[in-house]
Amino acid sequence: MSENDFLARRFEAHRGHLRAVAHRMLGSLAEADDAVQEAWIRLNRTDTRQVENLGGWLTTVVGRVCLDMLRSRRSRAEEPLDTTAPLPSAAAGPEQDALLADSVGVALLVVLDTLSPAERLSFVLHDMFAVPYEEIATILGRSPEATRQLASRARRRVRGAEAPDAGRDRQREVVDAFLAAAREGDFDGLLDVLDPDVVARSEAGVTTGAAAVASGATAFAHLALVAHPALVDGTTGLAVLSDGHVERALTFTFARDRIAVIDIVTDPAHLSRLDVTLI
């Protein structure tokens, strides 16, 4: 096998992840593919013997490419993406082109389009892909603390775009169905309420994809038995109780009546700062 073939195989192993990162950053499958192609071109110009973590290096490159594309888009004052389009499936198509990542609800597109490129990159890379602030800071040319503040500001604006109260009843129905399926170990039932590209985030790491998240939920069926519907900082969620105390809290982000993001908090210090109200 030639060195170029070996490099191509290594790149292909990361293509899916890179495309997901770019899609979440740009909201366009065509532009995402352009960003990934640019990463491949830059990889071919690089002495990979100096690259210790290829996946991290490629994510950084794609992040920089997307940042440039977002800045260029803003300088040309392009129109926001069409928020009425359906959610994307696994396969690309013209009808899916004007979308943000599946793990961000379509209703949040307008808010994300109002973020600055730096805010958007900080929020997406950190909150969607658990990239450390230190690595994002190198892309932005800012300090880790400044990068943290960018993500925090973006996060507040995104949370402010939660669905109105009229939609919370439907959200509660979906979460109740998720909880019932988790309690029964109903894998298919979980798949019914999870977005295909759902993201589950916790202090332990990030899990992506409906099958992986459903498997994790069934593995924690014993916790589902002591979980209760709740509002967590005003957001539709669940609270797992132990001796009357909240042991962990889950909040949900939705995309077209399916769960697209699950945030799981288990750290006692973090839990103590949450406003958890049982329903």
Side-chain angles (χ1 to χ4, degrees):
M1 180 186 299
S2 69
E3 182 177 345
N4 190 64
D5 288 340
F6 177 69
L7 189 62
R9 285 197 176 188
R10 294 183 67 194
F11 181 82
E12 287 301 320
H14 296 284
R15 180 182 291 275
H17 168 76
L18 298 175
R19 192 168 187 257
V21 170
H23 189 195
R24 284 160 173 78
M25 280 294 302
L26 301 169
S28 163
L29 287 168
E31 288 186 334
D33 286 335
D34 288 344
V36 173
Q37 183 62 25
E38 177 62 25
W40 167 245
I41 293 172
R42 295 188 186 188
L43 178 62
N44 274 279
R45 297 171 179 169
T46 302
D47 182 359
T48 57
R49 291 174 298 183
Q50 306 301 318
V51 178
E52 295 182 1
N53 179 353
L54 183 62
W57 186 89
L58 287 169
T59 299
T60 298
V61 170
V62 167
R64 287 185 174 130
V65 172
C66 290
L67 184 62
D68 290 342
M69 293 172 74
L70 286 172
R71 286 170 172 166
S72 176
R73 179 191 295 172
R74 174 160 290 206
S75 69
R76 295 194 304 269
E78 293 182 0
E79 292 297 317
L81 299 177
D82 178 10
T83 60
T84 62
L87 281 176
S89 64
E95 73 280 1
Q96 301 163 341
D97 204 346
L99 298 168
L100 190 64
D102 307 38
S103 61
V104 179
V106 172
L108 302 184
L109 257 178
V110 173
V111 178
L112 286 164
D113 278 333
T114 67
L115 301 179
S116 71
E119 288 172 338
R120 189 163 179 165
L121 182 135
S122 300
F123 173 76
V124 170
L125 287 186
H126 182 269
D127 283 41
M128 297 295 151
F129 293 97
V131 176
Y133 287 120
E134 291 75 12
E135 294 182 22
I136 302 172
T138 64
I139 301 174
L140 295 174
R142 306 194 186 197
S143 69
E145 183 55 35
T147 302
R148 185 188 300 272
Q149 291 174 1
L150 284 169
S152 179
R153 185 160 63 239
R155 196 175 301 118
R156 288 195 299 271
R157 295 173 73 177
V158 169
R159 286 177 176 172
E162 287 290 330
D165 290 342
R168 293 197 186 279
D169 289 343
R170 177 54 187 159
Q171 291 181 1
R172 174 52 53 198
E173 291 176 4
V174 174
V175 171
D176 287 346
F178 170 85
L179 180 58
R183 285 173 172 172
E184 298 170 6
D186 181 0
F187 186 82
D188 289 336
L190 288 165
L191 293 182
D192 286 341
V193 296
L194 295 174
D195 187 84
D197 292 308
V198 62
V199 177
R201 306 180 300 217
S202 70
E203 292 95 340
V206 179
T207 302
T208 59
V213 173
S215 294
T218 56
F220 285 93
H222 61 290
L223 293 178
L225 293 174
V226 290
H228 300 269
L231 287 178
V232 182
D233 281 349
T235 299
T236 303
L238 294 172
V240 177
L241 304 183
S242 176
D243 295 327
H245 299 287
V246 178
E247 183 180 71
R248 67 180 62 201
L250 290 76
T251 57
F252 301 84
T253 301
F254 301 85
R256 294 294 178 91
D257 287 341
R258 286 193 172 192
I259 296 169
V261 182
I262 305 173
D263 284 300
I264 306 166
V265 178
T266 59
D267 176 63
H270 191 173
L271 285 170
S272 68
R273 296 192 296 270
L274 297 177
D275 179 12
V276 180
T277 303
L278 299 182
I279 299 175

